PDB file of all heavy atoms in Angstrom:
ATOM      1  N   GLY A  14     -66.120  25.871-107.852  1.00 87.00           N
ATOM      2  CA  GLY A  14     -65.320  26.284-106.705  1.00 87.00           C
ATOM      3  C   GLY A  14     -65.408  25.354-105.516  1.00 87.00           C
ATOM      4  O   GLY A  14     -64.901  25.685-104.436  1.00 87.00           O
ATOM      5  N   GLU A  15     -66.071  24.207-105.698  1.00 88.00           N
ATOM      6  CA  GLU A  15     -66.194  23.242-104.611  1.00 88.00           C
ATOM      7  C   GLU A  15     -65.040  22.247-104.640  1.00 88.00           C
ATOM      8  O   GLU A  15     -64.507  21.941-105.713  1.00 88.00           O
ATOM      9  CB  GLU A  15     -67.521  22.483-104.720  1.00 88.00           C
ATOM     10  CG  GLU A  15     -68.754  23.373-104.587  1.00 88.00           C
ATOM     11  CD  GLU A  15     -68.867  23.984-103.206  1.00 88.00           C
ATOM     12  OE1 GLU A  15     -68.424  23.341-102.233  1.00 88.00           O
ATOM     13  OE2 GLU A  15     -69.396  25.101-103.098  1.00 88.00           O
ATOM     14  N   PRO A  16     -64.628  21.717-103.470  1.00 91.00           N
ATOM     15  CA  PRO A  16     -63.540  20.722-103.451  1.00 91.00           C
ATOM     16  C   PRO A  16     -63.929  19.473-104.244  1.00 91.00           C
ATOM     17  O   PRO A  16     -65.090  19.046-104.232  1.00 91.00           O
ATOM     18  CB  PRO A  16     -63.373  20.409-101.957  1.00 91.00           C
ATOM     19  CG  PRO A  16     -63.983  21.567-101.248  1.00 91.00           C
ATOM     20  CD  PRO A  16     -65.099  22.064-102.120  1.00 91.00           C
ATOM     21  N   VAL A  17     -62.964  18.895-104.932  1.00 94.00           N
ATOM     22  CA  VAL A  17     -63.175  17.652-105.672  1.00 94.00           C
ATOM     23  C   VAL A  17     -63.205  16.494-104.678  1.00 94.00           C
ATOM     24  O   VAL A  17     -62.270  16.319-103.892  1.00 94.00           O
ATOM     25  CB  VAL A  17     -62.063  17.440-106.717  1.00 94.00           C
ATOM     26  CG1 VAL A  17     -62.186  16.063-107.359  1.00 94.00           C
ATOM     27  CG2 VAL A  17     -62.137  18.519-107.791  1.00 94.00           C
ATOM     28  N   VAL A  18     -64.283  15.707-104.694  1.00 95.00           N
ATOM     29  CA  VAL A  18     -64.459  14.588-103.769  1.00 95.00           C
ATOM     30  C   VAL A  18     -64.524  13.293-104.566  1.00 95.00           C
ATOM     31  O   VAL A  18     -65.338  13.170-105.498  1.00 95.00           O
ATOM     32  CB  VAL A  18     -65.736  14.751-102.917  1.00 95.00           C
ATOM     33  CG1 VAL A  18     -65.891  13.577-101.961  1.00 95.00           C
ATOM     34  CG2 VAL A  18     -65.688  16.065-102.146  1.00 95.00           C
ATOM     35  N   LEU A  19     -63.690  12.323-104.200  1.00 96.00           N
ATOM     36  CA  LEU A  19     -63.657  11.018-104.856  1.00 96.00           C
ATOM     37  C   LEU A  19     -64.210   9.958-103.910  1.00 96.00           C
ATOM     38  O   LEU A  19     -63.846   9.922-102.735  1.00 96.00           O
ATOM     39  CB  LEU A  19     -62.226  10.642-105.261  1.00 96.00           C
ATOM     40  CG  LEU A  19     -61.495  11.618-106.190  1.00 96.00           C
ATOM     41  CD1 LEU A  19     -60.073  11.132-106.429  1.00 96.00           C
ATOM     42  CD2 LEU A  19     -62.229  11.774-107.507  1.00 96.00           C
ATOM     43  N   LYS A  20     -65.073   9.108-104.418  1.00 96.00           N
ATOM     44  CA  LYS A  20     -65.622   8.010-103.625  1.00 96.00           C
ATOM     45  C   LYS A  20     -64.617   6.880-103.545  1.00 96.00           C
ATOM     46  O   LYS A  20     -64.057   6.461-104.559  1.00 96.00           O
ATOM     47  CB  LYS A  20     -66.921   7.500-104.256  1.00 96.00           C
ATOM     48  CG  LYS A  20     -67.549   6.325-103.510  1.00 96.00           C
ATOM     49  CD  LYS A  20     -68.815   5.847-104.212  1.00 96.00           C
ATOM     50  CE  LYS A  20     -69.440   4.670-103.475  1.00 96.00           C
ATOM     51  NZ  LYS A  20     -70.673   4.186-104.137  1.00 96.00           N
ATOM     52  N   VAL A  21     -64.355   6.386-102.352  1.00 96.00           N
ATOM     53  CA  VAL A  21     -63.450   5.253-102.179  1.00 96.00           C
ATOM     54  C   VAL A  21     -64.191   3.976-102.578  1.00 96.00           C
ATOM     55  O   VAL A  21     -65.260   3.668-102.038  1.00 96.00           O
ATOM     56  CB  VAL A  21     -62.945   5.148-100.728  1.00 96.00           C
ATOM     57  CG1 VAL A  21     -62.081   3.914-100.552  1.00 96.00           C
ATOM     58  CG2 VAL A  21     -62.155   6.405-100.359  1.00 96.00           C
ATOM     59  N   ILE A  22     -63.633   3.245-103.530  1.00 95.00           N
ATOM     60  CA  ILE A  22     -64.281   2.045-104.044  1.00 95.00           C
ATOM     61  C   ILE A  22     -64.192   0.929-103.009  1.00 95.00           C
ATOM     62  O   ILE A  22     -63.104   0.554-102.576  1.00 95.00           O
ATOM     63  CB  ILE A  22     -63.626   1.603-105.362  1.00 95.00           C
ATOM     64  CG1 ILE A  22     -63.781   2.697-106.419  1.00 95.00           C
ATOM     65  CG2 ILE A  22     -64.222   0.295-105.860  1.00 95.00           C
ATOM     66  CD1 ILE A  22     -63.068   2.408-107.711  1.00 95.00           C
ATOM     67  N   MET A  23     -65.358   0.411-102.626  1.00 90.00           N
ATOM     68  CA  MET A  23     -65.439  -0.682-101.670  1.00 90.00           C
ATOM     69  C   MET A  23     -66.353  -1.763-102.221  1.00 90.00           C
ATOM     70  O   MET A  23     -67.055  -1.563-103.214  1.00 90.00           O
ATOM     71  CB  MET A  23     -65.976  -0.182-100.329  1.00 90.00           C
ATOM     72  CG  MET A  23     -65.112   0.885 -99.671  1.00 90.00           C
ATOM     73  SD  MET A  23     -63.504   0.258 -99.150  1.00 90.00           S
ATOM     74  CE  MET A  23     -63.990  -0.779 -97.781  1.00 90.00           C
ATOM     75  N   ILE A  24     -66.359  -2.924-101.577  1.00 90.00           N
ATOM     76  CA  ILE A  24     -67.223  -4.025-101.990  1.00 90.00           C
ATOM     77  C   ILE A  24     -68.655  -3.743-101.555  1.00 90.00           C
ATOM     78  O   ILE A  24     -68.898  -3.348-100.410  1.00 90.00           O
ATOM     79  CB  ILE A  24     -66.720  -5.356-101.401  1.00 90.00           C
ATOM     80  CG1 ILE A  24     -65.339  -5.703-101.983  1.00 90.00           C
ATOM     81  CG2 ILE A  24     -67.697  -6.491-101.667  1.00 90.00           C
ATOM     82  CD1 ILE A  24     -64.731  -6.959-101.407  1.00 90.00           C
ATOM     83  N   GLU A  25     -69.615  -3.930-102.458  1.00 87.00           N
ATOM     84  CA  GLU A  25     -71.020  -3.684-102.174  1.00 87.00           C
ATOM     85  C   GLU A  25     -71.511  -4.661-101.101  1.00 87.00           C
ATOM     86  O   GLU A  25     -71.471  -5.881-101.283  1.00 87.00           O
ATOM     87  CB  GLU A  25     -71.848  -3.859-103.448  1.00 87.00           C
ATOM     88  CG  GLU A  25     -73.344  -3.784-103.236  1.00 87.00           C
ATOM     89  CD  GLU A  25     -73.788  -2.474-102.602  1.00 87.00           C
ATOM     90  OE1 GLU A  25     -73.373  -1.411-103.089  1.00 87.00           O
ATOM     91  OE2 GLU A  25     -74.544  -2.529-101.605  1.00 87.00           O
ATOM     92  N   PRO A  26     -71.983  -4.145 -99.932  1.00 84.00           N
ATOM     93  CA  PRO A  26     -72.376  -5.029 -98.834  1.00 84.00           C
ATOM     94  C   PRO A  26     -73.839  -5.468 -98.859  1.00 84.00           C
ATOM     95  O   PRO A  26     -74.225  -6.385 -98.136  1.00 84.00           O
ATOM     96  CB  PRO A  26     -72.103  -4.176 -97.595  1.00 84.00           C
ATOM     97  CG  PRO A  26     -72.364  -2.772 -98.067  1.00 84.00           C
ATOM     98  CD  PRO A  26     -71.987  -2.730 -99.516  1.00 84.00           C
ATOM     99  N   ASP A  27     -74.678  -4.822 -99.690  1.00 86.00           N
ATOM    100  CA  ASP A  27     -76.111  -5.098 -99.682  1.00 86.00           C
ATOM    101  C   ASP A  27     -76.421  -6.322-100.554  1.00 86.00           C
ATOM    102  O   ASP A  27     -76.232  -6.280-101.775  1.00 86.00           O
ATOM    103  CB  ASP A  27     -76.872  -3.881-100.205  1.00 86.00           C
ATOM    104  CG  ASP A  27     -78.380  -4.066-100.115  1.00 86.00           C
ATOM    105  OD1 ASP A  27     -78.831  -5.111 -99.585  1.00 86.00           O
ATOM    106  OD2 ASP A  27     -79.100  -3.156-100.575  1.00 86.00           O
ATOM    107  N   PRO A  28     -76.918  -7.423 -99.966  1.00 90.00           N
ATOM    108  CA  PRO A  28     -77.217  -8.619-100.763  1.00 90.00           C
ATOM    109  C   PRO A  28     -78.370  -8.425-101.733  1.00 90.00           C
ATOM    110  O   PRO A  28     -78.528  -9.213-102.669  1.00 90.00           O
ATOM    111  CB  PRO A  28     -77.563  -9.669 -99.702  1.00 90.00           C
ATOM    112  CG  PRO A  28     -77.973  -8.897 -98.510  1.00 90.00           C
ATOM    113  CD  PRO A  28     -77.193  -7.630 -98.541  1.00 90.00           C
ATOM    114  N   ASN A  29     -79.173  -7.388-101.538  1.00 91.00           N
ATOM    115  CA  ASN A  29     -80.279  -7.109-102.445  1.00 91.00           C
ATOM    116  C   ASN A  29     -79.847  -6.305-103.667  1.00 91.00           C
ATOM    117  O   ASN A  29     -80.635  -6.113-104.590  1.00 91.00           O
ATOM    118  CB  ASN A  29     -81.392  -6.350-101.710  1.00 91.00           C
ATOM    119  CG  ASN A  29     -81.984  -7.159-100.568  1.00 91.00           C
ATOM    120  OD1 ASN A  29     -82.215  -8.355-100.701  1.00 91.00           O
ATOM    121  ND2 ASN A  29     -82.220  -6.501 -99.435  1.00 91.00           N
ATOM    122  N   ASN A  30     -78.603  -5.842-103.645  1.00 88.00           N
ATOM    123  CA  ASN A  30     -78.077  -5.065-104.769  1.00 88.00           C
ATOM    124  C   ASN A  30     -77.505  -6.017-105.821  1.00 88.00           C
ATOM    125  O   ASN A  30     -76.886  -7.020-105.493  1.00 88.00           O
ATOM    126  CB  ASN A  30     -76.998  -4.103-104.276  1.00 88.00           C
ATOM    127  CG  ASN A  30     -76.614  -3.073-105.317  1.00 88.00           C
ATOM    128  OD1 ASN A  30     -76.271  -3.391-106.444  1.00 88.00           O
ATOM    129  ND2 ASN A  30     -76.662  -1.814-104.920  1.00 88.00           N
ATOM    130  N   ALA A  31     -77.726  -5.701-107.099  1.00 88.00           N
ATOM    131  CA  ALA A  31     -77.236  -6.562-108.181  1.00 88.00           C
ATOM    132  C   ALA A  31     -75.717  -6.658-108.193  1.00 88.00           C
ATOM    133  O   ALA A  31     -75.153  -7.626-108.710  1.00 88.00           O
ATOM    134  CB  ALA A  31     -77.738  -6.039-109.525  1.00 88.00           C
ATOM    135  N   ALA A  32     -75.034  -5.654-107.615  1.00 88.00           N
ATOM    136  CA  ALA A  32     -73.570  -5.642-107.593  1.00 88.00           C
ATOM    137  C   ALA A  32     -73.005  -6.215-106.294  1.00 88.00           C
ATOM    138  O   ALA A  32     -71.838  -5.994-105.978  1.00 88.00           O
ATOM    139  CB  ALA A  32     -73.062  -4.216-107.788  1.00 88.00           C
ATOM    140  N   TYR A  33     -73.829  -6.942-105.545  1.00 91.00           N
ATOM    141  CA  TYR A  33     -73.397  -7.493-104.253  1.00 91.00           C
ATOM    142  C   TYR A  33     -72.107  -8.315-104.406  1.00 91.00           C
ATOM    143  O   TYR A  33     -71.993  -9.167-105.281  1.00 91.00           O
ATOM    144  CB  TYR A  33     -74.493  -8.387-103.685  1.00 91.00           C
ATOM    145  CG  TYR A  33     -74.112  -9.114-102.416  1.00 91.00           C
ATOM    146  CD1 TYR A  33     -73.885  -8.420-101.240  1.00 91.00           C
ATOM    147  CD2 TYR A  33     -73.967 -10.504-102.417  1.00 91.00           C
ATOM    148  CE1 TYR A  33     -73.525  -9.076-100.074  1.00 91.00           C
ATOM    149  CE2 TYR A  33     -73.609 -11.174-101.256  1.00 91.00           C
ATOM    150  CZ  TYR A  33     -73.400 -10.462-100.087  1.00 91.00           C
ATOM    151  OH  TYR A  33     -73.043 -11.124 -98.938  1.00 91.00           O
ATOM    152  N   GLY A  34     -71.124  -8.022-103.527  1.00 90.00           N
ATOM    153  CA  GLY A  34     -69.871  -8.750-103.541  1.00 90.00           C
ATOM    154  C   GLY A  34     -68.842  -8.211-104.507  1.00 90.00           C
ATOM    155  O   GLY A  34     -67.730  -8.725-104.571  1.00 90.00           O
ATOM    156  N   ARG A  35     -69.200  -7.173-105.266  1.00 89.00           N
ATOM    157  CA  ARG A  35     -68.272  -6.592-106.234  1.00 89.00           C
ATOM    158  C   ARG A  35     -67.858  -5.188-105.796  1.00 89.00           C
ATOM    159  O   ARG A  35     -68.548  -4.537-105.012  1.00 89.00           O
ATOM    160  CB  ARG A  35     -68.919  -6.524-107.623  1.00 89.00           C
ATOM    161  CG  ARG A  35     -69.304  -7.878-108.192  1.00 89.00           C
ATOM    162  CD  ARG A  35     -69.862  -7.731-109.588  1.00 89.00           C
ATOM    163  NE  ARG A  35     -70.207  -9.022-110.159  1.00 89.00           N
ATOM    164  CZ  ARG A  35     -70.689  -9.187-111.388  1.00 89.00           C
ATOM    165  NH1 ARG A  35     -70.888  -8.126-112.152  1.00 89.00           N
ATOM    166  NH2 ARG A  35     -70.977 -10.389-111.832  1.00 89.00           N
ATOM    167  N   ARG A  36     -66.754  -4.754-106.320  1.00 90.00           N
ATOM    168  CA  ARG A  36     -66.297  -3.395-106.030  1.00 90.00           C
ATOM    169  C   ARG A  36     -67.071  -2.412-106.909  1.00 90.00           C
ATOM    170  O   ARG A  36     -67.094  -2.560-108.128  1.00 90.00           O
ATOM    171  CB  ARG A  36     -64.791  -3.274-106.273  1.00 90.00           C
ATOM    172  CG  ARG A  36     -63.982  -4.153-105.329  1.00 90.00           C
ATOM    173  CD  ARG A  36     -62.491  -3.882-105.439  1.00 90.00           C
ATOM    174  NE  ARG A  36     -61.735  -4.754-104.546  1.00 90.00           N
ATOM    175  CZ  ARG A  36     -61.508  -4.511-103.269  1.00 90.00           C
ATOM    176  NH1 ARG A  36     -61.982  -3.397-102.728  1.00 90.00           N
ATOM    177  NH2 ARG A  36     -60.819  -5.343-102.530  1.00 90.00           N
ATOM    178  N   VAL A  37     -67.676  -1.421-106.264  1.00 88.00           N
ATOM    179  CA  VAL A  37     -68.579  -0.517-106.965  1.00 88.00           C
ATOM    180  C   VAL A  37     -68.016   0.902-106.937  1.00 88.00           C
ATOM    181  O   VAL A  37     -67.674   1.418-105.868  1.00 88.00           O
ATOM    182  CB  VAL A  37     -69.978  -0.543-106.320  1.00 88.00           C
ATOM    183  CG1 VAL A  37     -70.915   0.388-107.071  1.00 88.00           C
ATOM    184  CG2 VAL A  37     -70.529  -1.963-106.304  1.00 88.00           C
ATOM    185  N   ALA A  38     -67.938   1.510-108.120  1.00 90.00           N
ATOM    186  CA  ALA A  38     -67.509   2.901-108.230  1.00 90.00           C
ATOM    187  C   ALA A  38     -68.722   3.823-108.137  1.00 90.00           C
ATOM    188  O   ALA A  38     -69.865   3.374-108.149  1.00 90.00           O
ATOM    189  CB  ALA A  38     -66.775   3.113-109.549  1.00 90.00           C
ATOM    190  N   ALA A  39     -68.463   5.107-108.056  1.00 91.00           N
ATOM    191  CA  ALA A  39     -69.551   6.082-107.974  1.00 91.00           C
ATOM    192  C   ALA A  39     -70.261   6.175-109.316  1.00 91.00           C
ATOM    193  O   ALA A  39     -69.620   6.222-110.371  1.00 91.00           O
ATOM    194  CB  ALA A  39     -68.997   7.447-107.571  1.00 91.00           C
ATOM    195  N   ALA A  40     -71.579   6.199-109.277  1.00 88.00           N
ATOM    196  CA  ALA A  40     -72.352   6.397-110.499  1.00 88.00           C
ATOM    197  C   ALA A  40     -72.248   7.853-110.933  1.00 88.00           C
ATOM    198  O   ALA A  40     -71.919   8.744-110.138  1.00 88.00           O
ATOM    199  CB  ALA A  40     -73.806   6.016-110.259  1.00 88.00           C
ATOM    200  N   LYS A  41     -72.498   8.100-112.208  1.00 85.00           N
ATOM    201  CA  LYS A  41     -72.412   9.467-112.711  1.00 85.00           C
ATOM    202  C   LYS A  41     -73.436  10.346-112.004  1.00 85.00           C
ATOM    203  O   LYS A  41     -74.631  10.046-111.979  1.00 85.00           O
ATOM    204  CB  LYS A  41     -72.651   9.476-114.218  1.00 85.00           C
ATOM    205  CG  LYS A  41     -72.455  10.848-114.850  1.00 85.00           C
ATOM    206  CD  LYS A  41     -72.599  10.803-116.357  1.00 85.00           C
ATOM    207  CE  LYS A  41     -72.355  12.173-116.967  1.00 85.00           C
ATOM    208  NZ  LYS A  41     -72.501  12.150-118.448  1.00 85.00           N
ATOM    209  N   GLY A  42     -72.952  11.440-111.409  1.00 88.00           N
ATOM    210  CA  GLY A  42     -73.842  12.343-110.690  1.00 88.00           C
ATOM    211  C   GLY A  42     -74.293  11.838-109.342  1.00 88.00           C
ATOM    212  O   GLY A  42     -75.250  12.382-108.774  1.00 88.00           O
ATOM    213  N   GLU A  43     -73.630  10.814-108.799  1.00 92.00           N
ATOM    214  CA  GLU A  43     -74.045  10.254-107.510  1.00 92.00           C
ATOM    215  C   GLU A  43     -73.801  11.271-106.390  1.00 92.00           C
ATOM    216  O   GLU A  43     -72.693  11.767-106.220  1.00 92.00           O
ATOM    217  CB  GLU A  43     -73.280   8.970-107.221  1.00 92.00           C
ATOM    218  CG  GLU A  43     -73.651   8.332-105.883  1.00 92.00           C
ATOM    219  CD  GLU A  43     -72.894   7.039-105.633  1.00 92.00           C
ATOM    220  OE1 GLU A  43     -72.389   6.420-106.587  1.00 92.00           O
ATOM    221  OE2 GLU A  43     -72.800   6.643-104.440  1.00 92.00           O
ATOM    222  N   PRO A  44     -74.848  11.586-105.614  1.00 92.00           N
ATOM    223  CA  PRO A  44     -74.682  12.563-104.538  1.00 92.00           C
ATOM    224  C   PRO A  44     -74.107  11.912-103.275  1.00 92.00           C
ATOM    225  O   PRO A  44     -74.134  10.695-103.124  1.00 92.00           O
ATOM    226  CB  PRO A  44     -76.105  13.051-104.294  1.00 92.00           C
ATOM    227  CG  PRO A  44     -76.949  11.854-104.628  1.00 92.00           C
ATOM    228  CD  PRO A  44     -76.247  11.136-105.754  1.00 92.00           C
ATOM    229  N   PHE A  45     -73.594  12.748-102.394  1.00 91.00           N
ATOM    230  CA  PHE A  45     -73.120  12.261-101.098  1.00 91.00           C
ATOM    231  C   PHE A  45     -73.560  13.230-100.017  1.00 91.00           C
ATOM    232  O   PHE A  45     -73.767  14.423-100.264  1.00 91.00           O
ATOM    233  CB  PHE A  45     -71.592  12.105-101.083  1.00 91.00           C
ATOM    234  CG  PHE A  45     -70.825  13.382-101.273  1.00 91.00           C
ATOM    235  CD1 PHE A  45     -70.587  14.250-100.216  1.00 91.00           C
ATOM    236  CD2 PHE A  45     -70.322  13.711-102.523  1.00 91.00           C
ATOM    237  CE1 PHE A  45     -69.876  15.429-100.392  1.00 91.00           C
ATOM    238  CE2 PHE A  45     -69.608  14.895-102.714  1.00 91.00           C
ATOM    239  CZ  PHE A  45     -69.391  15.747-101.658  1.00 91.00           C
TER     240      PHE A  45
END
């Protein structure tokens, strides 16, 4: 019964992240 929430895909800004510079989608079960 909760509203469906979609993460807006943006470029990963953290240089320490392996996906830095790439567009990252929400991981399965990712909380917000």
Side-chain angles (χ1 to χ4, degrees):
E15 297 295 329
V17 173
V18 180
L19 302 177
K20 179 181 180 180
V21 176
I22 299 175
M23 299 293 289
I24 295 177
E25 173 58 49
D27 185 4
N29 298 318
N30 192 307
Y33 175 67
R35 299 183 179 182
R36 296 188 181 275
V37 181
K41 185 176 182 180
E43 179 179 340
F45 63 82

